[in-house]
Amino acid sequence: MATSKRWIEINEQPIQAVKRELHEETGITNVTNIFNLDYSYKFETIKSDVKMSMMDISFGVEVPQIQSVYLSTEHELYKWCSKTEVKKYLEWKYSIFAFEKLCDVTNN
């Protein structure tokens, strides 16, 4: 079974990885706060006809204002939305659980 690229690079701290990934995938660099949700999950997916084992590590990121987003090729679209709108867009149970943990951590 193939593996994906490393999410956290060698000698990189998780918070550094969050900032790097956020910039690489959205272009966002102005961050007010990063919330460690202490939540990760494993799943399998197929990319380019290759079955891959993946692990996502969940963090929440607060930005001071709505910013322009420049998506990497890993994503197709984005939407800034309110807390009440979020769940209608989240498709996977893992993402919904991570969002609920974010609401608990931020007391929102």
PDB file of all heavy atoms in Angstrom, residues 9-26:
ATOM      1  N   GLU A   9       6.592  17.631   8.291  1.00  0.00           N
ATOM      2  CA  GLU A   9       7.917  17.356   7.762  1.00  0.00           C
ATOM      3  C   GLU A   9       8.871  16.970   8.892  1.00  0.00           C
ATOM      4  O   GLU A   9       8.617  17.267  10.064  1.00  0.00           O
ATOM      5  CB  GLU A   9       8.459  18.590   7.036  1.00  0.00           C
ATOM      6  CG  GLU A   9       7.566  19.098   5.910  1.00  0.00           C
ATOM      7  CD  GLU A   9       7.426  18.139   4.752  1.00  0.00           C
ATOM      8  OE1 GLU A   9       8.316  17.288   4.555  1.00  0.00           O
ATOM      9  OE2 GLU A   9       6.425  18.238   4.023  1.00  0.00           O
ATOM     10  N   ILE A  10       9.967  16.315   8.547  1.00  0.00           N
ATOM     11  CA  ILE A  10      10.976  15.931   9.535  1.00  0.00           C
ATOM     12  C   ILE A  10      11.480  17.192  10.235  1.00  0.00           C
ATOM     13  O   ILE A  10      11.762  18.196   9.595  1.00  0.00           O
ATOM     14  CB  ILE A  10      12.126  15.159   8.852  1.00  0.00           C
ATOM     15  CG1 ILE A  10      11.581  13.854   8.282  1.00  0.00           C
ATOM     16  CG2 ILE A  10      13.273  14.913   9.823  1.00  0.00           C
ATOM     17  CD1 ILE A  10      12.552  13.099   7.403  1.00  0.00           C
ATOM     18  N   ASN A  11      11.570  17.129  11.569  1.00  0.00           N
ATOM     19  CA  ASN A  11      12.015  18.239  12.429  1.00  0.00           C
ATOM     20  C   ASN A  11      11.049  19.424  12.466  1.00  0.00           C
ATOM     21  O   ASN A  11      11.418  20.496  12.930  1.00  0.00           O
ATOM     22  CB  ASN A  11      13.415  18.724  12.060  1.00  0.00           C
ATOM     23  CG  ASN A  11      14.459  17.652  12.259  1.00  0.00           C
ATOM     24  OD1 ASN A  11      14.397  16.870  13.205  1.00  0.00           O
ATOM     25  ND2 ASN A  11      15.420  17.593  11.356  1.00  0.00           N
ATOM     26  N   GLU A  12       9.830  19.256  11.992  1.00  0.00           N
ATOM     27  CA  GLU A  12       8.847  20.336  12.008  1.00  0.00           C
ATOM     28  C   GLU A  12       7.886  20.104  13.174  1.00  0.00           C
ATOM     29  O   GLU A  12       7.441  18.990  13.411  1.00  0.00           O
ATOM     30  CB  GLU A  12       8.074  20.344  10.682  1.00  0.00           C
ATOM     31  CG  GLU A  12       7.100  21.466  10.533  1.00  0.00           C
ATOM     32  CD  GLU A  12       6.433  21.471   9.172  1.00  0.00           C
ATOM     33  OE1 GLU A  12       5.980  20.396   8.719  1.00  0.00           O
ATOM     34  OE2 GLU A  12       6.371  22.537   8.559  1.00  0.00           O
ATOM     35  N   GLN A  13       7.558  21.148  13.901  1.00  0.00           N
ATOM     36  CA  GLN A  13       6.594  21.071  14.991  1.00  0.00           C
ATOM     37  C   GLN A  13       5.180  21.159  14.412  1.00  0.00           C
ATOM     38  O   GLN A  13       4.967  21.781  13.357  1.00  0.00           O
ATOM     39  CB  GLN A  13       6.828  22.204  15.995  1.00  0.00           C
ATOM     40  CG  GLN A  13       8.165  22.124  16.697  1.00  0.00           C
ATOM     41  CD  GLN A  13       8.314  20.818  17.472  1.00  0.00           C
ATOM     42  OE1 GLN A  13       7.453  20.431  18.237  1.00  0.00           O
ATOM     43  NE2 GLN A  13       9.426  20.124  17.244  1.00  0.00           N
ATOM     44  N   PRO A  14       4.182  20.552  15.080  1.00  0.00           N
ATOM     45  CA  PRO A  14       2.808  20.569  14.542  1.00  0.00           C
ATOM     46  C   PRO A  14       2.277  21.966  14.219  1.00  0.00           C
ATOM     47  O   PRO A  14       1.664  22.153  13.166  1.00  0.00           O
ATOM     48  CB  PRO A  14       1.994  19.898  15.652  1.00  0.00           C
ATOM     49  CG  PRO A  14       2.967  18.977  16.311  1.00  0.00           C
ATOM     50  CD  PRO A  14       4.279  19.712  16.280  1.00  0.00           C
ATOM     51  N   ILE A  15       2.519  22.944  15.078  1.00  0.00           N
ATOM     52  CA  ILE A  15       2.016  24.298  14.806  1.00  0.00           C
ATOM     53  C   ILE A  15       2.686  24.885  13.566  1.00  0.00           C
ATOM     54  O   ILE A  15       2.038  25.565  12.756  1.00  0.00           O
ATOM     55  CB  ILE A  15       2.213  25.222  16.039  1.00  0.00           C
ATOM     56  CG1 ILE A  15       1.376  24.717  17.221  1.00  0.00           C
ATOM     57  CG2 ILE A  15       1.883  26.675  15.698  1.00  0.00           C
ATOM     58  CD1 ILE A  15      -0.124  24.642  16.985  1.00  0.00           C
ATOM     59  N   GLN A  16       3.963  24.609  13.376  1.00  0.00           N
ATOM     60  CA  GLN A  16       4.642  25.060  12.154  1.00  0.00           C
ATOM     61  C   GLN A  16       4.001  24.407  10.931  1.00  0.00           C
ATOM     62  O   GLN A  16       3.826  25.045   9.890  1.00  0.00           O
ATOM     63  CB  GLN A  16       6.126  24.699  12.199  1.00  0.00           C
ATOM     64  CG  GLN A  16       6.929  25.450  13.233  1.00  0.00           C
ATOM     65  CD  GLN A  16       8.342  24.869  13.344  1.00  0.00           C
ATOM     66  OE1 GLN A  16       8.518  23.659  13.460  1.00  0.00           O
ATOM     67  NE2 GLN A  16       9.339  25.747  13.309  1.00  0.00           N
ATOM     68  N   ALA A  17       3.662  23.124  11.059  1.00  0.00           N
ATOM     69  CA  ALA A  17       3.042  22.398   9.949  1.00  0.00           C
ATOM     70  C   ALA A  17       1.669  22.980   9.616  1.00  0.00           C
ATOM     71  O   ALA A  17       1.308  23.099   8.442  1.00  0.00           O
ATOM     72  CB  ALA A  17       2.929  20.918  10.287  1.00  0.00           C
ATOM     73  N   VAL A  18       0.906  23.344  10.643  1.00  0.00           N
ATOM     74  CA  VAL A  18      -0.406  23.951  10.413  1.00  0.00           C
ATOM     75  C   VAL A  18      -0.241  25.231   9.604  1.00  0.00           C
ATOM     76  O   VAL A  18      -0.933  25.441   8.604  1.00  0.00           O
ATOM     77  CB  VAL A  18      -1.132  24.245  11.747  1.00  0.00           C
ATOM     78  CG1 VAL A  18      -2.375  25.090  11.513  1.00  0.00           C
ATOM     79  CG2 VAL A  18      -1.499  22.960  12.460  1.00  0.00           C
ATOM     80  N   LYS A  19       0.662  26.101  10.027  1.00  0.00           N
ATOM     81  CA  LYS A  19       0.879  27.364   9.319  1.00  0.00           C
ATOM     82  C   LYS A  19       1.348  27.132   7.892  1.00  0.00           C
ATOM     83  O   LYS A  19       0.882  27.791   6.957  1.00  0.00           O
ATOM     84  CB  LYS A  19       1.895  28.221  10.071  1.00  0.00           C
ATOM     85  CG  LYS A  19       1.368  28.760  11.384  1.00  0.00           C
ATOM     86  CD  LYS A  19       2.441  29.548  12.110  1.00  0.00           C
ATOM     87  CE  LYS A  19       1.938  30.088  13.433  1.00  0.00           C
ATOM     88  NZ  LYS A  19       2.988  30.831  14.159  1.00  0.00           N
ATOM     89  N   ARG A  20       2.265  26.190   7.710  1.00  0.00           N
ATOM     90  CA  ARG A  20       2.779  25.895   6.367  1.00  0.00           C
ATOM     91  C   ARG A  20       1.675  25.347   5.475  1.00  0.00           C
ATOM     92  O   ARG A  20       1.480  25.808   4.346  1.00  0.00           O
ATOM     93  CB  ARG A  20       3.940  24.897   6.444  1.00  0.00           C
ATOM     94  CG  ARG A  20       4.500  24.513   5.072  1.00  0.00           C
ATOM     95  CD  ARG A  20       5.594  23.470   5.176  1.00  0.00           C
ATOM     96  NE  ARG A  20       5.241  22.329   5.995  1.00  0.00           N
ATOM     97  CZ  ARG A  20       4.402  21.344   5.632  1.00  0.00           C
ATOM     98  NH1 ARG A  20       3.814  21.371   4.448  1.00  0.00           N
ATOM     99  NH2 ARG A  20       4.164  20.329   6.445  1.00  0.00           N
ATOM    100  N   GLU A  21       0.942  24.351   5.978  1.00  0.00           N
ATOM    101  CA  GLU A  21      -0.136  23.743   5.185  1.00  0.00           C
ATOM    102  C   GLU A  21      -1.225  24.758   4.855  1.00  0.00           C
ATOM    103  O   GLU A  21      -1.736  24.790   3.742  1.00  0.00           O
ATOM    104  CB  GLU A  21      -0.735  22.545   5.924  1.00  0.00           C
ATOM    105  CG  GLU A  21       0.146  21.324   5.938  1.00  0.00           C
ATOM    106  CD  GLU A  21       0.141  20.571   4.619  1.00  0.00           C
ATOM    107  OE1 GLU A  21      -0.895  20.557   3.915  1.00  0.00           O
ATOM    108  OE2 GLU A  21       1.183  19.992   4.273  1.00  0.00           O
ATOM    109  N   LEU A  22      -1.586  25.595   5.823  1.00  0.00           N
ATOM    110  CA  LEU A  22      -2.602  26.618   5.589  1.00  0.00           C
ATOM    111  C   LEU A  22      -2.159  27.544   4.460  1.00  0.00           C
ATOM    112  O   LEU A  22      -2.931  27.838   3.544  1.00  0.00           O
ATOM    113  CB  LEU A  22      -2.850  27.416   6.874  1.00  0.00           C
ATOM    114  CG  LEU A  22      -3.903  28.507   6.782  1.00  0.00           C
ATOM    115  CD1 LEU A  22      -5.290  27.901   6.563  1.00  0.00           C
ATOM    116  CD2 LEU A  22      -3.893  29.361   8.047  1.00  0.00           C
ATOM    117  N   HIS A  23      -0.908  27.963   4.497  1.00  0.00           N
ATOM    118  CA  HIS A  23      -0.396  28.841   3.443  1.00  0.00           C
ATOM    119  C   HIS A  23      -0.338  28.119   2.098  1.00  0.00           C
ATOM    120  O   HIS A  23      -0.764  28.651   1.074  1.00  0.00           O
ATOM    121  CB  HIS A  23       0.986  29.381   3.817  1.00  0.00           C
ATOM    122  CG  HIS A  23       1.546  30.261   2.757  1.00  0.00           C
ATOM    123  ND1 HIS A  23       2.533  29.846   1.893  1.00  0.00           N
ATOM    124  CD2 HIS A  23       1.229  31.529   2.389  1.00  0.00           C
ATOM    125  CE1 HIS A  23       2.794  30.823   1.047  1.00  0.00           C
ATOM    126  NE2 HIS A  23       2.030  31.851   1.315  1.00  0.00           N
ATOM    127  N   GLU A  24       0.176  26.888   2.089  1.00  0.00           N
ATOM    128  CA  GLU A  24       0.303  26.139   0.834  1.00  0.00           C
ATOM    129  C   GLU A  24      -1.053  25.866   0.188  1.00  0.00           C
ATOM    130  O   GLU A  24      -1.181  25.881  -1.028  1.00  0.00           O
ATOM    131  CB  GLU A  24       1.008  24.800   1.082  1.00  0.00           C
ATOM    132  CG  GLU A  24       2.485  24.915   1.353  1.00  0.00           C
ATOM    133  CD  GLU A  24       3.124  23.574   1.707  1.00  0.00           C
ATOM    134  OE1 GLU A  24       2.424  22.532   1.680  1.00  0.00           O
ATOM    135  OE2 GLU A  24       4.326  23.570   2.024  1.00  0.00           O
ATOM    136  N   GLU A  25      -2.066  25.598   1.007  1.00  0.00           N
ATOM    137  CA  GLU A  25      -3.353  25.174   0.455  1.00  0.00           C
ATOM    138  C   GLU A  25      -4.359  26.297   0.279  1.00  0.00           C
ATOM    139  O   GLU A  25      -5.338  26.133  -0.448  1.00  0.00           O
ATOM    140  CB  GLU A  25      -3.944  24.066   1.324  1.00  0.00           C
ATOM    141  CG  GLU A  25      -3.074  22.819   1.298  1.00  0.00           C
ATOM    142  CD  GLU A  25      -3.658  21.647   2.055  1.00  0.00           C
ATOM    143  OE1 GLU A  25      -4.850  21.685   2.390  1.00  0.00           O
ATOM    144  OE2 GLU A  25      -2.901  20.691   2.309  1.00  0.00           O
ATOM    145  N   THR A  26      -4.140  27.459   0.933  1.00  0.00           N
ATOM    146  CA  THR A  26      -5.113  28.552   0.835  1.00  0.00           C
ATOM    147  C   THR A  26      -4.491  29.912   0.557  1.00  0.00           C
ATOM    148  O   THR A  26      -5.204  30.845   0.215  1.00  0.00           O
ATOM    149  CB  THR A  26      -5.923  28.688   2.142  1.00  0.00           C
ATOM    150  OG1 THR A  26      -5.064  29.154   3.183  1.00  0.00           O
ATOM    151  CG2 THR A  26      -6.594  27.388   2.535  1.00  0.00           C
TER     152      THR A  26
END
